[in-house]
Amino acid sequence: DGPDIMNLKSIQDYIQRVADAFAAVLDYEVAVVGEHLEVLAGTGKYKDQIGTVYGSGSINYQLRFTQQSFLVFDPPSCKLCQNCNLRATCKVLAGLLYPIKLEDKLVGSISLYAFDETQKENLVKDAAKLETFLQHLVELISGKLNERALYKRLKKTAEQFNTLINS
């Protein structure tokens, strides 16, 4: 078992496809940030940010400590956003962030973001439903990570068995 088994970056292509699929249905931008604060997947405005690493002032960094979902609906005046190095240029009007955990270990976050007033209004109004949706999406992503870990363990066992037979 390598440490990469529980790493979102190891399933980055899958996460991008999931983000694209859901962004096509939902009227929000989707962003997935890994445990080292790197944007791993994104849609719309976040597609250009893939590879960007957020600083310790970002709300994604704060999520490391709370490990709970939260809704940000006025980023410039939001207490959680005060120390963000992107605050001056941030165009987000509202966001719903949800932690991605695997076996109680935080491995990243998935977020829905609003960039216009209609999106913001809907995000705030439907926050509880969207949070349930993100919970299910996180289960899908965690399932993929678990599947990958199981595959790697099976492959390693098969290789050991092969070595044993051929020795």
Side-chain angles (χ1 to χ4, degrees):
D1 290 1
D4 67 316
I5 286 176
M6 291 186 10
N7 184 329
L8 288 176
K9 196 167 181 128
S10 68
I11 59 167
Q12 189 170 6
D13 292 343
Y14 172 78
I15 291 171
Q16 184 62 55
R17 288 193 309 272
V18 168
D20 287 337
F22 285 107
V25 176
L26 298 171
D27 189 28
Y28 306 105
E29 302 302 346
V30 179
V32 177
V33 175
E35 64 185 315
H36 302 295
L37 304 177
E38 179 185 358
V39 180
L40 299 176
T43 64
K45 292 173 174 40
Y46 282 91
K47 203 147 193 132
D48 294 341
Q49 286 197 16
I50 294 171
T52 299
V53 177
Y54 292 142
S56 60
S58 70
I59 53 178
N60 283 285
Y61 180 79
Q62 316 260 342
L63 192 68
R64 288 176 149 184
F65 303 104
T66 65
Q67 294 201 13
Q68 294 177 352
S69 63
F70 53 84
L71 177 67
V72 175
F73 52 89
D74 191 14
S77 63
C78 175
K79 186 179 167 192
L80 292 171
C81 298
Q82 293 310 301
N83 297 321
C84 183
N85 57 341
L86 301 174
R87 188 169 162 233
T89 58
C90 186
K91 304 274 189 268
V92 173
L93 298 184
L96 178 61
L97 288 83
Y98 199 91
I100 301 173
K101 293 183 193 176
L102 193 62
E103 299 172 8
D104 292 328
K105 179 187 184 294
L106 185 76
V107 293
S109 65
I110 186 164
S111 309
L112 300 177
Y113 290 108
F115 286 94
D116 65 42
E117 286 301 326
T118 305
Q119 286 179 326
K120 176 182 175 178
E121 208 174 282
N122 291 333
L123 186 71
V124 172
K125 178 177 59 98
D126 297 331
K129 282 189 244 175
L130 291 167
E131 189 171 341
T132 300
F133 169 77
L134 287 177
Q135 178 187 346
H136 292 296
L137 202 51
V138 163
E139 288 169 5
L140 191 69
I141 292 167
S142 298
K144 185 66 170 178
L145 279 173
N146 280 323
E147 175 189 303
R148 186 173 184 278
L150 181 61
Y151 172 76
K152 280 197 160 204
R153 281 197 296 272
L154 284 171
K155 188 176 176 191
K156 185 178 179 183
T157 303
E159 287 167 0
Q160 289 171 337
F161 185 68
N162 222 4
T163 303
L164 185 65
I165 289 174
N166 294 328
S167 61

